[in-house]
Amino acid sequence: MQMNSLGRRTVEVSATVHFLVDLCCIFLIVAFLIPLCGNRMDWVWVVMLYNMFAFAFQLPIGALGDRAGVSWKLAAAGCLIIAGAYGIAWAGAAAAPGLLLPALIAVIAGIGNSCFHVGCGIAVLAESKGRAAMPGIYVSTGAFGVYLAPMLASRFALSAFGAAVGILVMLGCAFWLARSGRTLQGGKETMIKERQEPPLQPAGPSAALLLVAASGLLITVLLRSYAGTIMAFSWRAVPLLGLLFTLGVVFGKMLGGVVGDRVGWMKTAVVSLLAAAVLFAAAGKHPAAGIAAVFLFNMTMPITLTALADQMRDRLGTAFGMTTLMLFLGTLPSLFASVGIGEKAGPAALPAVVLLSAAGIAVGLWACRRRGAEE
């Protein structure tokens, strides 16, 4: 993987803060909002609101970021917003259980999460110059933050110490991101302009290929999100196996772009997904198969993101937001099933879902290649 000093610094800052942002957001939700919810239905609404604003809201935030030409400042603002959500949670920790306060905090934290992800997403995609390694490294660290947060929340639920640490960490991240924006080539606006050429040509066969490419890639993201909600393997309750499963997610995303850049995106995506489908068939009884499968399954994440961004060179924030909107939509079937609306599929459905994902990304990458040949 070739990466200049500017790219290395960009991904180091973004990946580190990504881990801390997801850790702090999920810690806030679990440690503070669960105790503030009046009942299970309140909790379901809070989770849905947080997911909607943390994931789906990245699309409009990304479009605004593209229009304003900002990235690092947007990411820093997101951390400040999350710090504000902690402040409200701290002040309201003694409130009577109900829906209004935790819903408000979830919305604020979700907006902050969106601003951070899109801001650093624009920075990383602009500096990656069409290669998938950097986006994969950036995105990968969040999964480990999500894994650690509930463990810490069980020790520091509704505590002043937990709130204070969350606020200080987010303020520190905001300062670091703002400083990075000033030092990395005078701010992100310069790099965005470099990435804007050539602009999209939405006419004729190229427009049709863009539609096919975007549809195939986004369907793949949607299916990957849905698959993540049905990986209910009983062995994940064993602490060591649960950790290894999470590391499979992290390193799959981290290495997928590196491998894809070296051996080809199409080959990496299709082979990894076909192998994952086979391994998922045995994952219920064999943890090693499940860990290997989730590693291979997540290798496509940086490839889908970078391929879509490469088709929307002057709309990097919008492209990033489109993928996270699909992530949100993919969680809805399982979330609805948790309150009795429909039925939740089990791990037995994973091979079929993964094969559909392979078909989607193959079509999407084929259309990307054809469109690139026409430009």
Side-chain angles (χ1 to χ4, degrees), residues 51-72:
N51 284 341
M52 182 172 69
F53 282 91
F55 293 96
F57 204 61
Q58 289 186 43
L59 180 54
I61 292 291
L64 289 174
D66 290 332
R67 186 174 182 84
V70 294
S71 57
W72 294 106

Side-chain angles (χ1 to χ4, degrees), residues 143 147 227-228 231-233 235-236 238-251 280 283 287 290-295 298 350:
Y147 170 78
M231 293 184 187
F233 303 115
W235 48 260
R236 289 179 59 185
V238 178
L240 177 59
L241 295 178
L243 173 61
L244 292 175
F245 182 89
T246 301
L247 291 176
V249 176
V250 171
F251 285 104
F280 272 131
I291 293 166
V294 80
F295 169 82
N298 279 277
L350 283 170

Side-chain angles (χ1 to χ4, degrees), residues 134-156:
M134 285 178 57
I137 295 170
Y138 162 54
V139 174
S140 68
T141 57
F144 199 59
V146 172
Y147 170 78
L148 287 178
M151 300 180 186
L152 296 175
S154 65
R155 295 177 177 268
F156 302 105

Side-chain angles (χ1 to χ4, degrees), residues 12-148:
E12 285 174 353
V13 173
S14 299
T16 302
V17 179
H18 187 193
F19 163 74
L20 294 171
V21 164
D22 279 5
L23 173 66
C24 287
C25 283
I26 300 304
F27 177 86
L28 175 67
I29 299 299
V30 177
F32 286 86
L33 301 196
I34 287 181
L36 289 174
C37 290
N39 52 53
R40 175 178 170 77
M41 199 62 198
D42 286 350
W43 169 239
V44 171
W45 277 109
V46 165
V47 170
M48 185 176 295
L49 283 170
Y50 173 76
N51 284 341
M52 182 172 69
F53 282 91
F55 293 96
F57 204 61
Q58 289 186 43
L59 180 54
I61 292 291
L64 289 174
D66 290 332
R67 186 174 182 84
V70 294
S71 57
W72 294 106
K73 291 178 181 178
L74 182 61
C79 292
L80 291 177
I81 293 170
I82 296 168
Y86 264 97
I88 297 172
W90 189 353
L99 176 61
L100 184 59
L101 181 60
L104 173 64
I105 297 169
V107 168
I108 294 171
I111 292 172
N113 189 290
S114 279
C115 291
F116 162 75
H117 278 81
V118 170
C120 278
I122 293 172
V124 170
L125 286 169
E127 186 55 37
S128 69
K129 304 295 189 293
R131 297 177 68 83
M134 285 178 57
I137 295 170
Y138 162 54
V139 174
S140 68
T141 57
F144 199 59
V146 172
Y147 170 78
L148 287 178

Side-chain angles (χ1 to χ4, degrees), residues 145-326:
V146 172
Y147 170 78
L148 287 178
M151 300 180 186
L152 296 175
S154 65
R155 295 177 177 268
F156 302 105
L158 289 177
S159 70
F161 175 77
V165 171
I167 291 172
L168 290 175
V169 169
M170 286 296 95
L171 291 178
C173 288
F175 174 78
W176 193 18
L177 290 167
R179 183 179 179 184
S180 297
R182 290 193 299 269
T183 58
L184 294 175
Q185 280 196 344
K188 191 59 195 172
E189 289 75 8
T190 301
M191 287 183 276
I192 291 175
K193 289 177 182 177
E194 290 177 359
R195 181 72 172 170
Q196 284 180 340
E197 297 180 0
L200 292 177
Q201 301 293 332
S206 183
L209 286 172
L210 176 58
L211 178 61
V212 173
S215 298
L217 295 171
L218 292 174
I219 287 171
T220 300
V221 178
L222 175 71
L223 291 170
R224 185 170 65 245
S225 174
Y226 174 67
T229 68
I230 62 174
M231 293 184 187
F233 303 115
S234 59
W235 48 260
R236 289 179 59 185
V238 178
L240 177 59
L241 295 178
L243 173 61
L244 292 175
F245 182 89
T246 301
L247 291 176
V249 176
V250 171
F251 285 104
K253 293 177 180 180
M254 185 178 294
L255 297 178
V258 177
V259 175
D261 288 340
R262 290 192 174 187
V263 306
W265 290 356
M266 179 72 81
K267 185 185 298 183
T268 301
V270 173
V271 170
S272 65
L273 288 176
L274 292 178
V278 173
L279 289 168
F280 272 131
K285 295 182 179 180
H286 302 284
I291 293 166
V294 80
F295 169 82
L296 293 167
F297 183 59
N298 279 277
M299 289 182 71
T300 61
M301 178 260 121
I303 294 173
T304 52
L305 172 58
T306 309
L308 183 62
D310 199 46
Q311 301 303 303
M312 303 175 65
R313 300 183 184 97
D314 58 346
R315 296 290 184 269
L316 299 180
T318 303
F320 195 94
M322 290 169 69
T323 64
T324 58
L325 173 61
M326 293 299 105

